[in-house]
Amino acid sequence: MYTVAYAENGIEDAANDEAVLKEQLKRYEEFGMIYDSDKDVLYYNGKLVRWFEDYYELSAEEWAGIDFFNENGVVDVYAVRDFSNLIQHDDGSFDPSGKVVGLKEFSDKEFAERDINAIKNPPREVCYAGEGGPLTADKAQAIADEYAAFGVTYDVNIDQWYFNGEKVRFFQDVLISNGESLTGGNFHGAIRSSWSADGTVDIYTVRDFTHLDASGNGTLTGVEKFSQAEFDERTQRELQTQRELQTNSGKCVVG
């Protein structure tokens, strides 16, 4: 499975961090939506929120944002963003997220027609924004060519990455970064990642973000293995995530 996730303030791991989630949702308080972290619920103008979404477009096929689901809620809500004055970064690129300027309720008709079963039983990649699924041969080759010098290869026939011949379980490539910690709540950038359940090694890239490549990403300078302790910790997080997905509410935070 291959995914590109874009984030304002975190990545997949941060979605399970209560402190980060609480901080993410604080931005909506001025518009009447409050997060009760003790009960893990949202209220909009005093009404319990069932579904909340705040998405913004990155490209014709890519979106980022945040959503939240509580089956017992009585109102569905969405964020309204202003894209008329985009913030420009130091590198000349523009922040596609715009600015949240308000919240609105979905209509009664939209509330009634929402597919709750799809939210309750999402595919694993629901908490990512970007491209998912097996790579096409051409795209796989283009991506793999960049990693080849550092011992990383890809078998498109079985959708599997290898590092020096060993099957890769988790592969994280921070393509663009503002230099902030990925889980500290202030990260802005783009991450390419993949997961293969039967892999035996977790790896990550090293990039020089002061020198961008032709694609606008940091220049790739190396690929490293996560430590055994990090591998074991990620194993426990994955098991916990799977348990939550089987019982759960379906929250997703990606920016």
Side-chain angles (χ1 to χ4, degrees):
M1 180 64 66
Y2 158 79
T3 304
V4 175
Y6 296 81
E8 283 181 39
N9 298 309
I11 56 170
E12 176 191 5
D13 292 344
N16 299 314
D17 186 326
E18 181 179 319
V20 172
L21 176 62
K22 186 175 181 179
E23 184 64 27
Q24 292 275 21
L25 294 171
K26 278 186 66 175
R27 73 180 74 176
Y28 307 106
E29 289 182 356
E30 64 179 298
F31 306 111
M33 192 167 72
I34 305 299
Y35 176 59
D36 185 332
S37 58
D38 292 331
K39 298 179 180 179
D40 191 26
V41 296
L42 282 174
Y43 293 96
Y44 179 59
N45 292 334
K47 293 184 286 187
L48 188 64
V49 174
R50 184 182 69 169
W51 173 257
F52 170 64
E53 66 180 49
D54 178 12
Y55 301 141
Y56 54 90
E57 188 175 4
L58 299 169
S59 71
E61 298 179 348
E62 298 172 337
W63 293 77
I66 177 173
D67 59 43
F68 188 100
F69 175 66
N70 175 6
E71 188 174 8
N72 298 318
V74 298
V75 63
D76 290 356
V77 181
Y78 65 96
V80 179
R81 287 180 176 260
D82 178 9
F83 300 102
S84 61
N85 293 293
L86 298 182
I87 297 174
Q88 187 170 18
H89 300 303
D90 293 339
D91 64 2
S93 64
F94 286 89
D95 183 346
S97 64
K99 180 182 179 181
V100 177
V101 295
L103 301 177
K104 288 188 177 181
E105 293 185 21
F106 284 95
S107 68
D108 292 341
K109 182 175 183 293
E110 291 170 313
F111 182 93
E113 292 178 349
R114 191 171 303 284
D115 188 349
I116 297 304
N117 286 330
I119 297 174
K120 290 168 63 176
N121 301 286
R124 188 182 185 283
E125 62 269 26
V126 69
C127 280
Y128 298 92
E131 304 170 69
L135 292 171
T136 65
D138 290 344
K139 183 180 289 185
Q141 190 60 55
I143 294 173
D145 284 348
E146 182 181 16
Y147 301 131
F150 304 99
V152 178
T153 56
Y154 179 73
D155 186 338
V156 69
N157 295 316
I158 59 172
D159 188 25
Q160 177 65 57
W161 291 97
Y162 294 86
F163 181 57
N164 294 327
E166 189 174 357
K167 282 187 176 181
V168 173
R169 182 182 68 165
F170 177 67
F171 185 7
Q172 176 178 286
D173 182 3
V174 180
L175 301 167
I176 306 168
S177 174
N178 62 350
E180 297 288 342
S181 167
L182 300 183
T183 57
N186 295 308
F187 173 75
H188 180 99
I191 304 101
R192 176 186 293 149
S193 64
S194 70
W195 179 271
S196 176
D198 61 348
T200 57
V201 61
D202 291 356
I203 63 174
Y204 64 95
T205 59
V206 179
R207 289 183 180 269
D208 180 358
F209 299 110
T210 64
H211 296 87
L212 303 183
D213 62 20
S215 299
N217 302 322
T219 299
L220 184 64
T221 60
V223 176
E224 303 287 344
K225 291 175 63 172
F226 283 98
S227 68
Q228 185 61 48
E230 291 170 312
F231 183 95
D232 294 339
E233 181 182 355
R234 185 169 290 105
T235 300
Q236 293 304 311
R237 284 204 303 268
E238 178 66 15
L239 291 173
Q240 179 63 28
T241 297
Q242 292 304 316
R243 285 194 292 268
E244 290 175 355
L245 285 175
Q246 291 172 4
T247 64
N248 193 18
S249 64
K251 291 191 298 290
C252 174
V253 176
V254 190

